[in-house]
Amino acid sequence: MSSLATEAAAPPAPAPTPPRPRRRRFPTVPWLLLSASILILGVLTGYPVVRMLIMSFQEYERAQVMGMPADWVGLDNYVAVLTDSGFWAVLGRSIVFMVVAVTLTMVLGTLIALLMMRLGKKMRLLVAVGLLLAWSMPPLSSTTIWGWIFDTEYGLVNNLLTRVTGDRWFGHSWLLDPLGFFTILTFIIVWGAIPFVAFTMYAGLSQIPGEVLEAAQLDGAGAFARFRLVMLPYVRTIVTVLIVLSMIWDLKVFPQVYALQDIGGDREKTNTIGVYIYQMGMGQGHFGTASAIAFVFVAIMLLLSVYYVRRTIKEEEL
Amino acid sequence: MNRARTADLEPAAPPRRPEAVPTAGTKIRRSPARRVKEAGWGLVAILVFAVFVFPVYWMLNTSFLPNNRIRGEEISFFPTPDVFTLDNYRSAMFSEERAPFGPAVLNSISATFITLVVCLVIGFVASIALTRFTFKGRRTFIILILVIQMIPGEAMIISLYRIIDGWALINTIIGLSLVYVAGVLPFTIWTLRGFVAGVPKELEEAAMVDGCSPAGAFWRVTFPLLAPGLVATGIFAFINAWNDFVLALVIMQRPDTMTLTLWLRTFLMVTQATNWGAVMAAAVLVAIPAVIFFLIVQGRMSGGLVAGAVKG
């Protein structure tokens, strides 16, 4: 503790204690303070990444888990993955889903933010309360709720459709058809993701000076023109960051897909990349192949996040 | 740079035209039309509110209805007193056919609690190093923390499983907590760093001028100011660990080591004809702590993104 004290004193107040010889010494104290973090992140993030890389170049199956030595197979796992139509189907599906979900989230989230700008205090609070409630739901809870709403037997949707159309919808399965499965998945994800986008956009939009918007209005700019030409340029960085983050979140979606498959989806036809890695590794024991896929996945994620990381570094003036 | 370009694109700058006067006039006489318009937007607001609240309401509604009201061709929109029941909760928590609720709660609470405490202590210490000291490697470390957050846990499950298995920590709270700590710590350090940096060094220096030792100045002046930051960060850690599903799925494989999310999942896979009343009760039980804690910190969730992103 006393060493912390002297070190901390050194940079701002050089007067009282004269620790001159310390200057060139290794900065022990900060590294000591960081040591626990470095240890944990090194062992439980750094090492797993390395381990994943190594496994991706090995033949690593159930036998290797039991203790058989793992053979090096070079790029075989990668070749197997990249030439497997199953992998491309999963990747394509994940990306299409991501694009649809992010687009819907951004558009609807922005519209709700614009709505909140127009509302009076009370109504805005009402909308905020609704958004907060949806936002705070744990993913697995919200998945079960939507699963129940679209339940095959007596789900609300089937019940209402029977009443409205006059046909019997009881027994109609929404999840069995992959398209229906992904529609419901989109409901779950977009419903849960809109609040963050809406609040952030609202916070951003409400910082635009009122005179600017008024001036545009006086110049005869319609609502859409005002949004596109005045508001959007102001919040462009926020929009970009929101898109990047949403892309990352929607691409790695896991519990929602996995639980929906439990409720009644066809696993083969509805896997997204995260779930696919789980099935390949934990389910079928192809740890080597799963690691190769995981590495491709990590590479995609890091590529996606480059903009976000760069902007944050600039923003924080690091 | 970005901001400079933003300013260029603004069409607000052009000189105001004389038409400004008549348009201003409309302001005065818009009252009836405006009221209709406002009512219209109010209606849209209520609709949006309904869309977001409905699933939550539907979960609560179902959880309080008896089975014969849930599984039927009638829709019950409200658990009226004559049908209101807590049976679903009883069944979810105490039914013999299911994975036991008690151990699942205990597992979730222990793993979450360990994660929270370890992350706060380690993250706090690290954030002091990153804000109160200048040293070589500081910038690199901060950037690394930021990048690490972008690596999805979903991609790491295979190697994490192999490592935790190698240490014989599969099916243990320690194993699960370790994985959680690694997952949450970067975010904790990042957030706490912001909070600590927000307390000006000058405050400490002032205390030191008044005779405090540097450590004393930190504990007596800066630390109390950080309390809200620690609470917020702790709650983030809590929600993360509490809501986790993927890592628990990989690490906790025995029924008696399940966490609450895994427990909730068993409800979905037991039988063909799912007992939705019990499932909804279970979903409510899992959601309650998360919702409460979330509501405490929600203000901080999106604020950070906006701060500094919009400057005229």
Side-chain angles (χ1 to χ4, degrees):
Chain A
M1 193 46 53
S2 61
S3 76
L4 178 140
T6 39
E7 272 290 338
T17 43
R20 232 170 251 156
R22 268 170 186 270
R23 255 190 204 165
R24 257 194 263 154
R25 273 227 265 135
F26 179 75
T28 324
V29 179
W31 286 112
L32 210 65
L33 293 175
L34 288 178
S35 57
S37 306
I38 292 172
L39 184 75
I40 287 182
L41 294 177
V43 173
L44 284 159
T45 306
Y47 178 50
V49 171
V50 174
R51 183 76 187 255
M52 177 177 82
L53 254 181
I54 293 174
M55 267 199 292
S56 74
F57 293 115
Q58 287 178 329
E59 187 187 336
Y60 213 105
E61 304 283 318
R62 287 243 159 79
Q64 277 70 31
V65 176
M66 306 314 280
M68 285 262 289
D71 289 330
W72 290 90
V73 292
L75 289 170
D76 279 9
N77 285 328
Y78 289 93
V79 173
V81 167
L82 297 178
T83 53
D84 177 17
S85 62
F87 167 75
W88 291 108
V90 168
L91 189 65
R93 196 182 294 141
S94 301
I95 289 175
V96 170
F97 168 74
M98 180 260 279
V99 170
V100 172
V102 170
T103 311
L104 282 174
T105 309
M106 287 306 296
V107 170
L108 294 175
T110 308
L111 285 177
I112 292 175
L114 288 170
L115 172 72
M116 284 166 79
M117 300 265 293
R118 293 217 166 183
L119 292 173
K121 231 179 178 175
K122 273 188 211 152
M123 280 304 176
R124 193 188 308 146
L125 187 72
L126 186 78
V127 172
V129 167
L131 291 175
L132 270 177
L133 211 56
W135 191 8
S136 63
M137 275 291 129
L140 211 59
S141 289
S142 60
T143 310
T144 52
I145 300 170
W146 286 96
W148 161 224
I149 290 176
F150 282 95
D151 181 49
T152 308
E153 282 184 280
Y154 299 111
L156 180 67
V157 173
N158 282 352
N159 236 325
L160 285 177
L161 277 176
T162 305
R163 214 162 276 202
V164 173
T165 61
D167 298 329
R168 269 189 76 82
W169 285 82
F170 297 105
H172 177 83
S173 169
W174 296 93
L175 288 170
L176 215 55
D177 168 35
L179 195 65
F181 182 96
F182 276 97
T183 309
I184 296 171
L185 185 66
T186 310
F187 271 114
I188 300 171
I189 300 286
V190 172
W191 178 78
I194 282 178
F196 176 70
V197 172
F199 279 125
T200 312
M201 284 297 288
Y202 173 70
L205 289 174
S206 55
Q207 285 186 15
I208 300 174
E211 310 91 68
V212 175
L213 292 174
E214 232 166 78
Q217 190 165 18
L218 293 181
D219 284 340
F224 184 69
R226 257 177 296 153
F227 173 72
R228 198 173 64 87
L229 298 170
V230 185
M231 293 180 172
L232 216 50
Y234 260 102
V235 293
R236 206 176 43 190
T237 23
I238 298 182
V239 171
T240 318
V241 169
L242 281 175
I243 291 176
V244 170
L245 288 177
S246 303
M247 283 167 79
I248 290 172
W249 290 334
D250 289 350
L251 203 54
K252 68 177 195 179
V253 50
F254 189 110
Q256 293 92 339
V257 181
Y258 198 79
L260 266 192
Q261 289 177 340
D262 283 334
I263 298 176
D266 180 342
R267 282 188 195 277
E268 282 293 306
K269 289 183 187 146
T270 54
N271 275 342
T272 52
I273 188 145
V275 182
Y276 188 61
I277 292 171
Y278 179 85
Q279 307 284 7
M280 186 63 89
M282 306 304 295
Q284 301 167 29
H286 305 308
F287 295 99
T289 324
S291 297
I293 302 170
F295 185 72
V296 174
F297 188 28
V298 169
I300 295 175
M301 285 300 191
L302 289 180
L303 264 177
L304 276 180
S305 57
V306 166
Y307 174 83
Y308 173 71
V309 171
R310 279 188 54 184
R311 195 197 79 96
T312 313
I313 290 170
K314 211 184 332 176
E315 201 61 57
E316 300 270 325
E317 282 151 12
L318 288 174
Chain B
M1 244 257 266
N2 267 345
R3 252 170 247 143
R5 228 179 289 140
T6 310
D8 291 343
L9 276 176
E10 267 167 42
R16 282 165 206 198
R17 288 178 210 133
E19 283 108 53
V21 184
T23 357
T26 54
K27 242 181 210 169
I28 305 158
R29 55 181 160 80
R30 71 170 101 163
S31 54
R34 191 176 180 176
R35 214 167 280 168
V36 172
K37 220 175 171 186
E38 247 168 36
W41 288 122
L43 217 63
V44 179
I46 291 172
L47 204 73
V48 170
F49 170 78
V51 167
F52 281 93
V53 167
F54 183 80
V56 180
Y57 145 73
W58 198 240
M59 163 178 79
L60 286 168
N61 176 43
T62 307
S63 76
F64 291 123
L65 284 172
N67 240 320
N68 59 4
R69 288 298 174 114
I70 298 168
R71 304 178 51 78
E73 304 190 2
E74 289 287 309
I75 310 175
S76 303
F77 282 101
F78 195 75
T80 45
D82 55 312
V83 293
F84 178 90
T85 174
L86 289 174
D87 274 354
N88 294 320
Y89 289 87
R90 225 166 283 145
S91 152
M93 287 191 276
F94 306 118
S95 168
E96 301 269 311
E97 307 147 32
R98 295 208 171 77
F101 177 70
V105 175
L106 265 180
N107 290 335
S108 268
I109 291 179
S110 342
T112 304
F113 184 73
I114 295 175
T115 308
L116 191 151
V117 171
V118 174
C119 275
L120 276 187
V121 171
I122 296 179
F124 179 61
V125 170
S127 69
I128 294 172
L130 295 177
T131 48
R132 290 293 191 255
F133 294 87
T134 36
F135 55 96
K136 236 184 164 181
R138 190 184 79 107
R139 195 181 126 94
T140 318
F141 187 86
I142 296 178
I143 294 175
L144 213 59
I145 289 287
L146 187 61
V147 174
I148 283 178
Q149 288 182 61
M150 296 297 140
I151 301 176
E154 287 74 8
M156 307 276 285
I157 44 180
I158 305 299
S159 50
L160 275 175
Y161 166 76
R162 294 296 311 130
I163 288 165
I164 297 293
D165 189 38
W167 297 340
L169 287 175
I170 291 292
N171 287 321
T172 63
I173 299 286
I174 302 290
L176 185 64
S177 309
L178 273 178
V179 178
Y180 283 172
V181 167
V184 181
L185 187 60
F187 182 78
T188 316
I189 297 176
W190 183 261
T191 321
L192 279 177
R193 187 188 137 270
F195 279 112
V196 178
V199 179
K201 255 185 183 173
E202 287 74 24
L203 280 181
E204 275 171 60
E205 283 164 21
M208 273 149 61
V209 169
D210 289 345
C212 258
S213 69
F218 183 84
W219 286 113
R220 276 186 224 154
V221 178
T222 308
F223 189 72
L225 290 173
L226 287 177
L230 286 170
V231 171
T233 317
I235 292 179
F236 286 137
F238 175 95
I239 295 172
N240 258 302
W242 187 266
N243 284 356
D244 166 74
F245 175 71
V246 189
L247 295 168
L249 183 69
V250 174
I251 307 281
M252 306 305 245
Q253 303 184 331
R254 273 207 326 258
D256 60 307
T257 60
M258 272 177 191
T259 60
L260 267 187
T261 44
L262 293 184
W263 170 79
L264 172 56
R265 183 205 167 208
T266 60
F267 283 73
L268 300 174
M269 35 187 249
V270 180
T271 50
Q272 292 300 312
T274 316
N275 178 357
W276 283 109
V279 179
M280 288 303 113
V284 173
L285 291 171
V286 173
I288 287 174
V291 171
I292 292 174
F293 281 112
F294 185 93
L295 293 183
I296 301 175
V297 287
Q298 44 80 20
R300 302 204 187 279
M301 301 281 274
S302 60
L305 245 182
V306 179
V310 181
K311 286 174 192 158

